[in-house]
Amino acid sequence: MTTAIANDRLQRRFDKWDADANGVLERGDFHEEAAKIAHAFGKSPDSREVEALKDAFDGLFDYLAREAGVGAAGAVTRDQFLQVTGDLIFRGGEANFNRVLGPVVKGIIGICDKNADGQINADEFQAWLSGVGVNRAEAKEAFQQVDTNGDGELSLEELLAAVREYHFGRLDVELLG
């Protein structure tokens, strides 16, 4: 993985999460992301699943703001975001990464897991990726790449590993939009 690939992917993530395109990430940007995901799955913004996702995004924002030194009411600049997320992904270790991003991935699972088994099957995964702009054929291929144990279901652990692998440049499946 090259630093250029990682930096490009993190820059794109910043741009996607900067909902109002004002050059900083604020709590409202993360609420907007939760609302977009909810809409993509036809979920009511005040449903239990969407509230859980919003809470998870709040936790992610709190982490970013704290690590950037701006406080919970502050705004995270692009440079701060790149520094904090780069440290989280590439230096913080897998356990820390999972602790920070696990609730967001679990929240997305809660929204698209139609049979409420805590895992994502191929159809649910295709709906997830469709919600973030991936076509059906690419989603089918991506499912096979992410289903590392070949059981036809994606666990939280497999999905978190896929997010990390994406940022390391070893997987081209962008799960977080």
Side-chain angles (χ1 to χ4, degrees):
M1 189 264 336
T2 67
T3 303
I5 291 172
N7 192 48
D8 178 62
R9 289 179 176 190
L10 289 174
Q11 295 234 24
R12 284 188 289 155
R13 169 87 52 235
F14 180 92
D15 292 339
K16 287 179 180 183
W17 281 349
D18 182 14
D20 58 6
N22 68 349
V24 294
L25 295 178
E26 300 157 303
R27 188 174 304 278
D29 292 319
F30 288 86
H31 290 184
E32 181 64 28
E33 182 66 13
K36 283 193 300 191
I37 293 168
H39 179 73
F41 287 99
K43 296 284 186 177
S44 169
D46 59 351
S47 71
R48 178 182 53 79
E49 299 92 351
V50 175
E51 286 297 322
L53 181 59
K54 191 168 108 179
D55 289 346
F57 272 118
D58 276 341
L60 177 58
F61 177 78
D62 289 342
Y63 173 84
L64 293 170
R66 182 178 62 252
E67 294 298 309
V70 299
V76 178
T77 67
R78 178 182 300 272
D79 288 342
Q80 290 167 327
F81 175 80
L82 293 173
Q83 180 66 49
V84 170
T85 55
D87 288 347
L88 174 65
I89 294 168
F90 303 109
R91 289 178 275 294
E94 184 176 348
N96 192 44
F97 177 87
N98 290 352
R99 180 184 57 77
V100 173
L101 283 174
V104 172
V105 174
K106 187 174 182 179
I108 296 171
I109 289 171
I111 286 178
C112 64
D113 180 15
K114 293 178 183 173
N115 63 0
D117 67 353
Q119 297 195 84
I120 302 299
N121 64 34
D123 289 336
E124 294 164 339
F125 187 72
Q126 287 177 356
W128 175 339
L129 291 190
S130 175
V132 297
V134 176
N135 74 44
R136 200 160 179 78
E138 290 174 315
K140 185 176 182 178
E141 181 181 326
F143 182 85
Q144 294 169 347
Q145 292 175 13
V146 175
D147 185 16
T148 56
N149 67 6
D151 70 353
E153 299 278 343
L154 302 177
S155 66
L156 174 62
E157 293 75 21
E158 284 174 305
L159 291 163
L160 282 167
V163 172
R164 280 182 57 92
E165 292 296 298
Y166 169 78
H167 285 291
F168 279 115
R170 297 186 291 240
L171 185 65
D172 287 329
V173 179
E174 186 174 10
L175 299 178
L176 298 179

